[in-house]
Amino acid sequence: MRRMFAKLSKTILIVVSLTVILAALFPVGAFAQEGGVEADPLEIADQESLAVDASQLSADGNWIRFRGRTILPVGDSVTQGWMVLGKNFDQEAYLNALDRRGINAVLIWAYMGISDQKADERIGYDAPELWPWVKENGKFQLDRFNDEYFNRLRSFVQSANTKDIMVVITVHDGWTKDNFSGHPFNKANGGPLDSNGQYVELADYAREMPASYNESWGRKEKHQYYLERFSDRLIQATGDLPNVMYEIMNEGEWYNQTASRKFQVHFLDFFKARTAAPLLVNDDHVGGADFFGERSADVITLHKPLWKRSDSARTFFDHHASQSNAKPVFFTEPIPDYRGDRADLTAIMRMMWGTILGGSGFVMQNDASFGFDPNTRMAGKAGARDALLDLEGHAARFINDANRDLSAMEPKGSLCSTGVCLVNPGKNYLVYAQNGSSFTVNLRGYNDTFEVSWYNPETGELKRDQDIPGGKEVSFSPPSNSDWVLELRRAAGATKPDPKQPQPTQQPPQPTQGPPKPQQPAPTPSGPGQQTPPVDRDPTFLPLINNNG
């Protein structure tokens, strides 16, 4: 079974100390900053507690541990929406919507080249984008950081941390493929580049640039310098938080593949020298040898295969279960994106479940989440947006049931006739079945009694069924013609329990930590700049449908 994240051997206390030392040794030099990152109201005081909470490798090396237990990240991606919508994107309402559903992962892009927001069918107006750099008279000042951006980003990650949500930040690219005309690194906008393909061209892939700027440098030197200083500032703003992860670069099959690979390795090493946060690298859009053998890459991200409405869960299960065991895999950008067409929901649900039962993390590119800015065109599709968030939440809560030992499970499609099966043989089986079709599970060699439950991935409904004896291949018929997830657990007392494994339960999925919280009413939606009251989630409330986010 693949690892879910690479080994994180340093405590956050050490990371913070190293950051201070590196800052002293390598000053920003000629860079001007518009003030500094604001004092964080939730600044960490108890470093020992933080180290326990932080992302770290499970004992068996296969999964990530977060908040002291093994989890599988499942959630939502708003890609560039967070940045291009700026302060009008109600980030607290968005995070509360994820939190209510038990979603534990979110992905955002660091920045995006912008050309025409009014023509963008997701936005439809000139939104107040928030750039990492100061922009004056239509030109980006790449030697001056915009602290409002970094303060807001830190606030986003910090708030997600209080809600047990992991944040993946995609650092580099900004979509040069189609949006180079509005890209900060375009020479016409104040940057050093003449064309989009130059984005991955560095002066020295093996070394970092000096800390002090030199006006006599050429294009490649200036470009590398600006990218490194931006990366360093991003780490300063977020790298000490226990729930952050960095995806080094968006897909870039249009670049020179040799240069693209060296670019990503350079920044993997750059980040690795400054933070213990997990580092993700996209592998399926870069030619040549894969990144599974790259020492600085912690997690391999995939943006393929492309999905279509006719796909089955098995399509994605087979793809993810067959990946190399050398490193964990995370499906971070399923394509095409979701823009609020409810006809896509069944296919997305099957893709998600095939992926996670194949052992991979999953976040859905949900452009309908742009609607957390009430001025966008996507705001009119709140119901369809929330329907997808519900599906993500049903999957995240179920797979992260506190009574399930994920670290002991592995994808074994051969043990069930549907071909989609995540198992701890003899103890716990999760089987995905489409359209109510009957199927079999091979329980030969395990003569125990098994508890039977059915979970509806569309509604979050959980049904208990009669216990069954093992020791043979057993046939099952789902409760209806819908898609269902069968769960089998070895019954308590059937054999002498293994003290290292969790005991079976008849309860619905439990929260990732702590006792269930009392359900609170949904908050009144707040406008930009207003505070949305925190909302406790109740994972035992099934189904969970809330069209107000």
Side-chain angles (χ1 to χ4, degrees):
M1 177 63 191
R2 66 181 59 87
R3 303 186 190 97
M4 276 309 301
F5 286 92
K7 187 172 184 179
L8 305 175
S9 58
K10 305 294 184 183
T11 66
I12 298 300
L13 177 60
I14 295 175
V15 173
V16 173
S17 300
L18 284 174
T19 301
V20 172
I21 294 170
L22 286 167
L25 292 175
F26 304 102
V28 174
F31 258 63
Q33 298 185 22
E34 306 298 301
V37 175
E38 294 176 356
D40 197 321
L42 297 174
E43 198 67 47
I44 304 301
D46 186 349
Q47 297 295 340
E48 292 184 1
S49 175
L50 178 59
V52 172
D53 284 349
S55 307
Q56 55 187 290
L57 194 67
S58 61
D60 60 8
N62 293 336
W63 303 88
I64 188 173
R65 290 183 63 82
F66 185 58
R67 298 293 189 259
R69 64 181 300 270
T70 302
I71 67 159
L72 183 61
V74 181
D76 201 60
S77 167
V78 71
T79 56
Q80 71 268 29
W82 175 86
M83 174 263 159
V84 300
L85 301 173
K87 63 183 181 181
N88 284 358
F89 181 79
D90 193 337
Q91 63 183 31
E92 196 64 19
Y94 177 54
L95 292 171
N96 280 339
L98 305 186
D99 182 38
R100 272 197 301 278
R101 293 166 169 84
I103 291 169
N104 65 359
V106 62
L107 181 145
I108 60 174
W109 288 4
Y111 69 95
M112 167 79 169
I114 296 175
S115 53
D116 187 351
Q117 297 199 86
K118 291 182 179 179
D120 190 322
E121 67 180 37
R122 299 163 297 183
I123 302 174
Y125 82 107
D126 188 13
E129 66 270 9
L130 189 59
W131 296 102
W133 305 275
V134 173
K135 189 177 183 181
E136 293 179 346
N137 300 318
K139 301 287 186 179
F140 290 97
Q141 311 299 312
L142 296 180
D143 59 347
R144 296 167 60 194
F145 289 122
N146 178 9
D147 289 299
E148 182 183 0
Y149 168 95
F150 291 98
N151 291 334
R152 183 169 167 84
L153 177 60
R154 182 173 178 84
S155 176
F156 181 88
V157 180
Q158 189 85 39
S159 180
N161 185 46
T162 67
K163 298 170 175 60
D164 305 327
I165 298 172
M166 307 180 75
V167 179
V168 179
I169 301 174
T170 302
V171 180
H172 289 297
D173 185 10
W175 202 238
T176 66
K177 181 179 182 179
D178 296 326
N179 285 31
F180 187 65
S181 64
H183 198 283
F185 284 75
N186 186 333
K187 183 176 289 186
N189 302 322
L193 305 183
D194 297 303
S195 65
N196 62 355
Q198 294 173 347
Y199 188 87
V200 296
E201 296 177 4
L202 304 180
D204 192 337
Y205 293 99
R207 296 178 180 83
E208 297 179 11
M209 294 298 294
S212 296
Y213 183 79
N214 188 330
E215 188 59 45
S216 67
W217 282 339
R219 167 180 61 82
K220 292 182 180 179
E221 287 82 5
K222 291 178 180 179
H223 180 54
Q224 181 174 343
Y225 176 78
Y226 290 138
L227 289 175
E228 289 178 354
R229 297 282 62 79
F230 167 65
S231 298
D232 187 64
R233 185 63 190 281
L234 188 67
I235 296 168
Q236 290 180 36
T238 59
D240 63 317
L241 300 175
N243 61 321
V244 71
M245 300 179 282
Y246 301 103
E247 184 176 41
I248 295 301
M249 187 173 170
N250 187 37
E251 75 260 12
E253 70 274 9
W254 58 91
Y255 293 124
N256 175 282
Q257 295 296 280
T258 300
S260 178
R261 174 171 295 280
K262 292 194 295 184
F263 178 98
Q264 296 194 60
V265 170
H266 176 84
F267 279 102
L268 281 168
D269 292 340
F270 186 94
F271 274 75
K272 185 67 70 176
R274 291 163 171 79
T275 178
L279 304 181
L280 291 66
V281 61
N282 177 246
D283 187 66
D284 54 7
H285 283 74
V286 180
D290 62 39
F291 279 104
F292 281 98
E294 177 55 47
R295 61 179 177 81
S296 294
D298 298 324
V299 182
I300 302 300
T301 69
L302 301 181
H303 296 183
K304 294 180 181 177
L306 304 182
W307 64 271
K308 54 187 182 298
R309 290 178 182 174
S310 60
D311 285 334
S312 67
R314 183 165 183 176
T315 298
F316 296 91
F317 176 88
D318 288 345
H319 184 75
H320 289 274
S322 66
Q323 297 297 317
S324 170
N325 289 335
K327 292 186 186 293
V329 176
F330 198 160
F331 198 5
T332 57
E333 194 164 332
I335 301 169
D337 56 83
Y338 176 71
R339 298 196 178 188
D341 188 340
R342 289 178 180 267
D344 292 334
L345 290 173
T346 297
I348 293 173
M349 177 181 72
R350 290 171 176 170
M351 171 174 57
M352 176 167 54
W353 280 90
T355 298
I356 63 179
L357 294 183
S360 294
F362 179 91
V363 289
M364 182 61 203
Q365 186 177 347
N366 183 7
D367 287 357
S369 285
F370 282 38
F372 281 95
D373 173 352
N375 306 289
T376 62
R377 291 171 177 160
M378 285 292 119
K381 296 187 177 182
R385 173 201 70 203
D386 294 341
L388 176 55
L389 295 180
D390 289 336
L391 294 179
E392 294 168 356
H394 298 331
R397 291 194 310 275
F398 181 84
I399 201 68
N400 290 299
D401 179 355
N403 296 295
R404 178 175 297 109
D405 185 9
L406 280 174
S407 66
M409 304 188 79
E410 58 182 327
K412 280 190 173 295
S414 62
L415 293 182
C416 63
S417 61
T418 71
V420 183
C421 191
L422 183 68
V423 306
N424 179 359
K427 297 178 181 178
N428 193 195
Y429 297 75
L430 303 178
V431 181
Y432 196 89
Q434 290 185 197
N435 299 320
S437 300
S438 297
F439 60 93
T440 61
V441 179
N442 187 350
L443 298 176
R444 292 189 181 97
Y446 304 103
N447 297 317
D448 303 313
T449 297
F450 289 86
E451 297 175 342
V452 180
S453 297
W454 296 95
Y455 187 72
N456 188 321
E458 184 176 0
T459 66
E461 177 186 11
L462 184 70
K463 291 178 175 288
R464 278 286 282 120
D465 208 340
Q466 294 182 349
D467 294 355
I468 55 99
K472 59 184 178 181
E473 189 171 78
V474 182
S475 296
F476 295 91
S477 294
S480 73
N481 291 331
S482 301
D483 288 13
W484 290 89
V485 179
L486 169 72
E487 175 163 23
L488 302 178
R489 290 183 189 262
R490 187 180 63 182
T495 60
K496 183 178 179 180
D498 183 342
K500 296 182 180 180
Q501 301 297 331
Q503 295 305 301
T505 179
Q506 297 184 20
Q507 299 300 317
Q510 296 297 307
T512 57
Q513 64 167 4
K517 303 176 183 178
Q519 186 187 354
Q520 300 293 326
T524 301
S526 60
Q530 294 179 318
Q531 293 294 320
T532 302
V535 179
D536 289 339
R537 62 178 179 267
D538 182 3
T540 64
F541 176 60
L542 303 171
L544 194 160
I545 301 294
N546 184 337
N547 288 337
N548 292 319

